[in-house]
Amino acid sequence: MLNIHILSLFPELFDNFTRLTLVGKSIKEGLLDIQTVHLRDFAINAQGQVDDTPYGGGSGMILRMEPAVAAIEKIQNTHPNSKVILPTPRGAVFNQEMARALAEDYQKNGVGYIFLCSRYEGVDERIAENYADLEVSLGDFVLMGGEAAAMCMLEAILRLIPGAIGNPDSLKSESFENHLLEHPQYTKPREFRSSIVPDILLSGNHEQIRKWRHQKAIEDTVERRPELIDGIEKITCDLSIALIHYPVLDKNGQVVTSSITNIDVHDIARTARTFDLKNFYIVHPVKTLRLLAARICEHWESGYGATYNPNRREALSVVKLVCDFDDVLLDIESKTGALPKVVSTSAKPGEKITSFASMRAILRTTEETHLIILGTGWGLTDEMHSRAHYQLEPIAGYSDYNHLSVRAAASIIVDRLLRPLD
């Protein structure tokens, strides 16, 4: 049985909470026991005082140490395996992962929880420092007290306790499981005021329905909460990068062919190898320049340079020299069986801009191969952007100057998309 104690100045707020819905059902079935404790039962005087004015001045009242500590110690004398949770705006933000961790701590270690629900301006800091095992916030807003926060956390924890939910399989597809929001749900009637249930859900093809729901969960998460997917450490698809030398623009906006530079080849190859990209394609229509680039790579891969600097050889192993952009697409298709999703880049904003956050989410939830294309010179042409499925947002710096080298831009883009976030 999960033992919960609520320390509050308004314990009656929990009367209906402990009597109705799945909380009340879980109590009746012996899965859960909730005891409310009035903090004034531990008041420091006959007037029922539990708070006082803050040292140093300021508005509001602060919960004193004596009543809080006395209540906590009395509970822990009979329930020594109880941890104290302090709802506070300063705490770690509560989420599904934390709810799961608290539920597992109970299941594996028999831990119970004491919720210290303060009011007014909060608690004496020494309570938080010396007696609270966990400080938790529901988000970036302030409540009148900790009671509502405690109820929210309790419901989230209880749902993960075996037996509390009638169909435990329903938990697997809920929002925040596997870093995704839940897929859209529909019920009868099939049509209402010209709004119709998607045909796939009526097809009876359970495998196709499963795929549709998973895809919709990904799409909704990317659109609404892309930051959730940052919890997935690695991308789930093959990713390559291509450096385009034609067609690109010059400073006058004319379509030109740019030259291959030694430093671009070396530096972007090292970025590609560092982040484990599948290939680094160099696209140039002039055979002589491709042969020159090939000789540079050969020197470091199998010539004297391979012995002199083996690390450079490893980096250049991902380089592929091709004549035009279609060769890149065909090479990827021949290896994967499908054309890649193309992500174009630019220093200028475009019409179908995709944020770094959204692109990170896509790369962490899809199995489709993706290709990042970078333009030399003054950037990719409109034609190249039109062939892309996504155009990545420009790299934002701290000034209005926006003239990064293509190799610097490549490193920043790949780092922002692939580096695990804290």
Side-chain angles (χ1 to χ4, degrees):
M1 178 186 295
L2 174 59
N3 289 296
I4 300 294
H5 291 83
I6 309 291
L7 306 184
S8 172
L9 291 170
F10 300 97
E12 58 272 18
L13 289 174
F14 290 84
D15 289 348
N16 284 335
F17 179 76
T18 57
R19 185 171 58 86
L20 303 174
T21 68
L22 288 177
V23 175
K25 179 175 176 287
S26 296
I27 292 173
K28 290 179 181 178
E29 294 179 353
L31 296 173
L32 175 69
D33 181 56
I34 298 180
Q35 298 294 325
T36 55
V37 178
H38 204 310
L39 280 169
R40 293 201 190 279
D41 292 343
F42 299 88
I44 62 172
N45 54 33
Q47 287 72 42
Q49 183 181 357
V50 296
D51 53 11
D52 217 321
T53 56
Y55 280 123
S59 61
M61 303 291 282
I62 308 296
L63 180 65
R64 291 177 62 118
M65 291 198 66
E66 302 96 328
V69 172
I72 290 169
E73 290 181 342
K74 180 176 180 180
I75 294 168
Q76 290 181 333
N77 282 337
T78 54
H79 296 82
N81 208 22
S82 291
K83 292 184 177 180
V84 177
I85 296 177
L86 177 63
T88 168
R90 295 171 54 193
V93 176
F94 188 77
N95 55 25
Q96 189 70 6
E97 183 178 355
M98 188 184 297
R100 189 181 301 108
L102 293 171
E104 289 178 356
D105 205 8
Y106 154 69
Q107 293 173 68
K108 294 178 180 179
N109 306 310
V111 170
Y113 297 107
I114 302 169
F115 286 87
L116 176 57
C117 302
S118 62
R119 285 263 159 176
Y120 316 121
E121 290 300 310
V123 304
D124 187 298
E125 181 64 17
R126 291 167 292 182
I127 298 173
E129 289 179 350
N130 301 315
Y131 294 92
D133 295 286
L134 189 63
E135 297 180 63
V136 184
S137 169
L138 288 191
D140 297 336
F141 55 90
V142 180
L143 298 170
M144 294 182 179
E147 289 82 5
M151 291 181 192
C152 290
M153 286 185 271
L154 272 172
E155 284 208 351
I157 296 167
L158 176 62
R159 297 179 73 260
L160 301 173
I161 303 299
I165 298 293
N167 181 10
D169 288 339
S170 66
L171 299 175
K172 298 177 183 178
S173 60
E174 289 183 326
S175 291
F176 311 115
E177 295 296 330
N178 301 316
H179 305 280
L180 295 174
L181 298 176
E182 188 175 10
H183 57 77
Q185 300 276 17
Y186 298 87
T187 188
K188 298 177 180 66
R190 179 180 181 181
E191 182 176 351
F192 182 76
R193 295 180 180 175
S194 75
S195 182
I196 304 173
V197 174
D199 290 339
I200 183 66
L201 298 178
L202 306 170
S203 68
N205 188 326
H206 296 295
E207 177 60 18
Q208 290 301 316
I209 291 172
R210 183 194 66 78
K211 290 181 178 179
W212 180 88
R213 285 174 168 169
H214 182 63
Q215 183 60 34
K216 285 297 181 181
I218 292 172
E219 291 174 3
D220 277 3
T221 308
V222 169
E223 180 180 352
R224 302 165 187 254
R225 298 287 305 279
E227 76 281 1
L228 291 176
I229 302 177
D230 284 333
I232 303 173
E233 291 187 0
K234 295 183 178 181
I235 64 173
T236 55
C237 66
D238 287 347
L239 180 65
S240 294
I241 193 167
L243 183 62
I244 310 297
H245 292 84
Y246 176 85
V248 292
L249 302 174
D250 66 10
K251 64 179 180 180
N252 297 315
Q254 300 298 309
V255 178
V256 297
T257 301
S258 62
S259 295
I260 296 176
T261 66
N262 188 19
I263 193 168
D264 285 348
V265 174
H266 283 271
D267 283 3
I268 297 177
R270 285 190 277 188
T271 296
R273 184 66 190 90
T274 297
F275 287 90
D276 198 25
L277 303 187
K278 288 298 178 182
N279 296 290
F280 166 34
Y281 293 96
I282 298 174
V283 181
H284 203 290
V286 179
K287 184 177 180 179
T288 303
L289 287 179
R290 293 202 308 275
L291 289 174
L292 176 61
R295 289 184 62 186
I296 294 171
C297 293
E298 182 181 349
H299 169 77
W300 292 101
E301 288 184 285
S302 58
Y304 172 73
T307 304
Y308 177 74
N309 189 344
N311 289 333
R312 190 70 58 87
R313 176 183 62 189
E314 184 178 355
L316 291 172
S317 67
V318 301
V319 173
K320 287 196 172 184
L321 293 153
V322 298
C323 178
D324 60 39
F325 182 59
D326 285 328
D327 291 335
V328 177
L329 301 181
L330 291 172
D331 185 67
I332 293 174
E333 184 182 30
S334 69
K335 291 178 171 59
T336 66
L339 292 170
K341 295 290 187 180
V342 179
V343 183
S344 68
T345 60
S346 176
K348 301 176 182 178
E351 293 183 359
K352 48 180 181 179
I353 291 296
T354 301
S355 68
F356 281 101
S358 292
M359 201 68 237
R360 278 198 304 271
I362 292 168
L363 295 176
R364 282 165 169 76
T365 53
T366 184
E367 295 181 355
E368 293 182 288
T369 300
H370 280 64
L371 171 69
I372 300 171
I373 56 174
L374 300 147
T376 53
W378 287 68
L380 297 168
T381 62
D382 290 342
E383 175 197 352
M384 292 301 297
H385 285 302
S386 70
R387 299 186 66 178
H389 299 82
Y390 311 97
Q391 182 176 333
L392 200 58
E393 66 178 319
I395 296 171
Y398 298 104
S399 72
D400 57 1
Y401 184 87
N402 190 11
H403 297 280
L404 291 168
S405 67
V406 69
R407 57 191 175 277
S411 296
I412 293 170
I413 288 168
V414 174
D415 178 73
R416 288 188 181 180
L417 292 178
L418 302 192
R419 177 174 53 88
L421 299 185
D422 298 330

